[in-house]
Amino acid sequence: MALAQSQLTRQNWGFLSEKEQDLIGSTTVLLAGCGLGSNVAVLAARTGFQHFIAADGDLVEASNLNRQAFRVEHLGQNKAEATSRLIREVNPDAEVEVVPRFLQAEDADAIVERSGLVVNMVDPGPALDSLLESARRQGKITLFPLNVAFGGLLLAFGPESPSMEELVGSDNGSGLFVRIVQRLAPSLPQYIWQFAWVAARVQQDGVAPPQLGIAASITASLVVENMIKVGIGTTPALVPEVIGLDTREPSVLTWPGLPAVSTA
């Protein structure tokens, strides 16, 4: 069933103008990694993005279903191919270039050149670094999201931004994500440090770090909100600024004229 773009995005009115929807709809988004990228893809398609490059060599596993957009029917499928199907379930007319393999460092220049913006979600390594550097040289924005506990972080890199190494230092054996969290420790919600033993176990035992669906949804929302900014020609907050949102320590609003209720 074909859908007119105006039908799909009708309820976006008031927050996104017709001109902004056209700009978003013409922007090609590189989803470099389609785990969290699956969440980003579905929300982006609902927002009106229509052009995607989905790249991932991983297969959907049952352990992904707690946080990624896949369903049981996708188990065993390539994540980039399954993400393409999810996008087309929202918008059958969306254009999705599927790259069903892990990106390599030598892929970066060509694939970034075909993109309007990059969402870099590949595992730490040469490909991640090459995508960041290629986007910087080509004057494009890279969004680098990270799930943290019950919330999310987003680093946005522009052509003049410091490099990842300048932000967090060179590899000291602790892993990129751990170094990011360590450097941002003073700014993170304090409840996170109740789970310091989790990070210790990840480093000592080599187990996969825990991730919640709540965090994936929040992080995907941060990504798409900043994809909109890039798509309509405005610049998101760039590193060293960090964009974050946490559901365990949200902003608390007070109802005017009424006393607060104690929860002690």
Side-chain angles (χ1 to χ4, degrees):
M1 173 184 175
L3 288 175
Q5 186 70 354
S6 59
Q7 291 178 297
L8 177 61
T9 60
R10 181 183 299 162
Q11 294 302 113
N12 294 349
W13 75 272
F15 297 113
L16 292 171
S17 69
E18 185 176 339
K19 179 182 178 180
E20 289 171 335
Q21 287 288 179
D22 289 342
L23 290 169
I24 290 167
S26 64
T27 300
T28 298
V29 181
L30 170 58
L31 301 172
C34 293
L36 174 60
S38 65
N39 303 70
V40 172
V42 171
L43 183 55
R46 295 189 192 283
T47 307
F49 287 89
Q50 301 181 80
H51 302 279
F52 300 86
I53 303 172
D56 202 317
D58 206 0
L59 304 180
V60 180
E61 301 177 358
S63 62
N64 301 142
L65 302 185
N66 79 315
R67 66 193 184 280
Q68 296 171 11
F70 307 116
R71 301 186 294 271
V72 170
E73 67 197 71
H74 298 122
L75 292 176
Q77 295 180 15
N78 172 270
K79 286 187 177 181
E81 292 174 344
T83 295
S84 175
R85 295 185 182 99
L86 288 170
I87 291 170
R88 291 197 172 100
E89 286 179 4
V90 176
N91 182 0
D93 295 326
E95 296 181 2
V96 187
E97 177 187 342
V98 175
V99 183
R101 60 179 177 81
F102 295 113
L103 293 179
Q104 305 299 313
E106 56 268 26
D107 297 320
D109 286 346
I111 202 165
V112 169
E113 187 174 2
R114 301 199 302 277
S115 310
L117 68 96
V118 179
V119 187
N120 193 342
M121 299 166 286
V122 300
D123 290 335
L128 183 151
D129 297 334
S130 294
L131 286 168
L132 282 171
E133 182 55 31
S134 181
R136 184 209 299 263
R137 287 198 310 269
Q138 296 184 40
K140 297 178 180 178
I141 300 291
T142 297
L143 302 179
F144 181 86
L146 183 63
N147 297 333
V148 179
F150 289 83
L153 298 175
L154 180 64
L155 310 182
F157 292 84
E160 305 300 324
S161 297
S163 68
M164 186 70 79
E165 185 171 338
E166 289 173 319
L167 287 175
V168 299
S170 57
D171 190 355
N172 57 11
S174 62
L176 175 61
F177 298 151
V178 171
R179 298 203 311 277
I180 291 173
V181 171
Q182 287 173 337
R183 289 299 300 272
L184 293 176
S187 303
L188 293 176
Q190 289 305 296
Y191 82 84
I192 289 175
W193 307 113
Q194 300 171 16
F195 300 100
W197 64 271
V198 172
R201 187 182 167 201
V202 169
Q203 291 187 64
Q204 292 168 10
D205 300 339
V207 297
Q211 297 185 69
L212 294 171
I214 294 170
S217 295
I218 290 291
T219 306
S221 297
L222 290 176
V223 171
V224 175
E225 198 273 334
N226 285 275
M227 284 169 54
I228 292 170
K229 289 181 179 177
V230 176
I232 66 176
T234 61
T235 303
L238 300 175
V239 292
E241 291 189 59
V242 179
I243 303 162
L245 186 62
D246 192 277
T247 57
R248 277 213 170 173
E249 291 197 5
S251 298
V252 178
L253 307 181
T254 23
W255 201 271
L258 292 178
V261 177
S262 173
T263 57

